[in-house]
Amino acid sequence: MLSPGTPYPLGATPSPQGGINFALAAPGASAVHLCLFDSQGEHEQQRLPLPACTDGVWHGRLPGARAGLVYGYRVDGPWAPRQGLRFNPAKLLLDPYAQEVVGRYGGEDIFLDHEPDAPDRRDPRDSAPVALKARVSAPSALPAVARPHIDAGARVLYELHVGSQTRLHPDVPEPLRGTFAGLAQPAVLDHLQRLGVTTLSLMPVQHRADEQRLLKLGLTNHWGYSPIAWFAPEMRYWSGRPGTTPAQEFRSLADAVHARGMELVVDVVFNHSAETDEAGPMLSLRGIDNALYYHLRAEDPSLYENWTGCGNCLNLSHPRVVQLVMDSLRHWVTQLGVDGFRFDLAPVLARRAGDGAFDPGAPFLAAVAQDPVLARCLLIAEPWDIGPDGYRLGQFPPGWLEWNDRFRDTQRAFWLHRAAGRGEFARRLCGSSDAFEHDGRGPVASVNFVTAHDGFTLRDLLSYDQRHNEANGEHNRDGHAHNLSRNCGVEGDTDDPVVLAERARLTRTLLASLLLSQGTPMLLAGDEIGHSQRGNNNAYCQDNAITWLDWASADTRLAAYVARLLALRREAAPLRRAQWWPATPAPGEAALHWLGTDGQPLAPADWNDAGCHALAVLFDPPAGAPRWLLLANAQAQPACFVLPPGSWQCRLASDAEPDAPADAAQLPPTVTVPAGSLWLACGIPGIESNQTET
């Protein structure tokens, strides 16, 4: 029998004195039963009513129980879908605080809370035999390896997928490929260190349940943006080695990353759950307290608000939902060792109940700001969703970083189509002050990227004019249609040396423009080795060779070029400056000069010249530090540049072969930069003048 136990903490908590305390927030329920199962989660062995309810939390303590126990909940209450009430005790529910999940959702209609052909009638079938269950986890110690400190201006993000990164890696033992343990292998981390990456940004690793539609097509939500257990590492990324658990293996990965002096960030999905829309499955929150955990439509509470495009939205205007999210985030930091988070569709987390308006002072944002653990973490927002006024770039609080799609689109438009002017290019090069220069925020708040998981890879960006998503089963209608891509004359793979040369040059130019810009650069995993997804720009459901990095065909010269770029970024302090450049610098103060190809300062009319896409950027640091000069020519023909006074050495030319040694010779006063190319030069010590004569 259960004793009353305590309402805090939520979840299943083993006691040092023996026994387990169970607590579930379900204020709308009339009764909650704890259901105990065999170790495989196949047979229900006991059904025990939680004996107490305090402030909407049902709780009870099971004496003698130990870690390893498998359990789920049945939650009873009114069935009134048109009022948003969907209680159904026939459906076994997963504890949202589960730290390890037993079983896998297979899309069966027995998970429906209603009868398949009658949405208003409660389905009486028992889902327990196939339902997801939780396994009680023993408390773990804090991470063993000291966490690194990365200066904001030095941070370089690398977005990767745990499964795809190592599935084909020849230096990862076969049983570990595609797992947390595989990612922790020395050969994998060696590569990232050689590149100069400081921060691994993992795509979602919280336990997920794939959408029924995908399962019927024989596909899965490979990217992982379909969570159902926010405390539990995804079982599919666990190697299954005896004596380990998914959580332990993830912790070991975090320790291995920290031992290399790198940070670990995870992409978290708190904007929606895998229960999708009103026709979706009842797996957890929907049956625990539907009207509490989700935003429901005011005019018809049987329907869900869908500001995510995934069928539902978690209601972070409610304190219990904020508590769930905050508890989960602290768990990943304190127990699993992560250093920060990237928040998917982050505006949803700050939307009010009722009108759904975005609130920069929303309960969740306020809670994070004052939290002694989370306020010190790296916080990155994807600052858009598909709700009303969903584009919120630059509107998250100070201390947050934000994905900057304007940087992405400007780089593509400027270099590939000459569809962005010099002014827009300059603004993005220097940290996007139009979005971030307010409330004390600096250029590092801008997460700059040219490619990310959502869209073309860099190789495909320069190989395809159109998306090729037929493998997704949606008749090529999914994914972005406006990619600003350029196939350089041939759609897809080719042996044409002229096309290949143009693609290679533009690849190097885009990488240079990304990694030599102010802000926080982010690389997409595989771009440094020439990975292609065969033109699929929405490969979220492809767990196969489309998304698995092909290490056997890796372009090692391109990887060496990326490493060289990042070494230059570390050397050239003005390029990673964490403060805004002064508009009117004082004498001797660091200054930035924008020059035309004639070496003269750009006048207002020059910025508005839509026919010219070439400019020079002179970085004048304080006295005693070397000057740096960037020459950008996005035009269709070579551009002749008159260099500023002083002596200059070319340190990088994106038109040169990636492994070509830098020319140490002094540049002549006038140089010709080929079309679609970017050069970086440094003032020669002992010869160059510190201040430009303009």
Side-chain angles (χ1 to χ4, degrees), residues 161-227:
H161 185 282
V162 170
S164 294
Q165 189 78 9
T166 65
R167 185 74 69 177
L168 300 177
H169 203 299
D171 296 323
V172 173
E174 180 70 35
L176 304 184
R177 293 180 184 176
T179 70
F180 298 130
L183 185 57
Q185 288 294 294
V188 180
L189 298 182
D190 285 347
H191 169 74
L192 299 177
Q193 277 200 302
R194 283 194 298 268
L195 288 179
V197 167
T198 69
T199 308
L200 278 64
S201 182
L202 308 186
M203 290 175 66
V205 293
Q206 295 168 321
H207 194 91
R208 74 178 194 263
D210 301 313
E211 296 91 328
Q212 185 183 52
R213 179 186 63 81
L214 291 176
L215 293 169
K216 288 181 177 179
L217 293 172
L219 301 171
T220 64
N221 191 318
H222 179 57
W223 282 354
Y225 292 95
S226 187

Side-chain angles (χ1 to χ4, degrees), residues 32 85 193 225 305 326 364 384 393 458 527 534 544 669 685:
V32 175
L85 305 175
Q193 277 200 302
Y225 292 95
E305 292 287 8
M326 296 293 288
F364 170 68
W384 51 78
L393 180 70
L458 184 55
D527 278 354
R534 307 172 191 170
N544 50 47

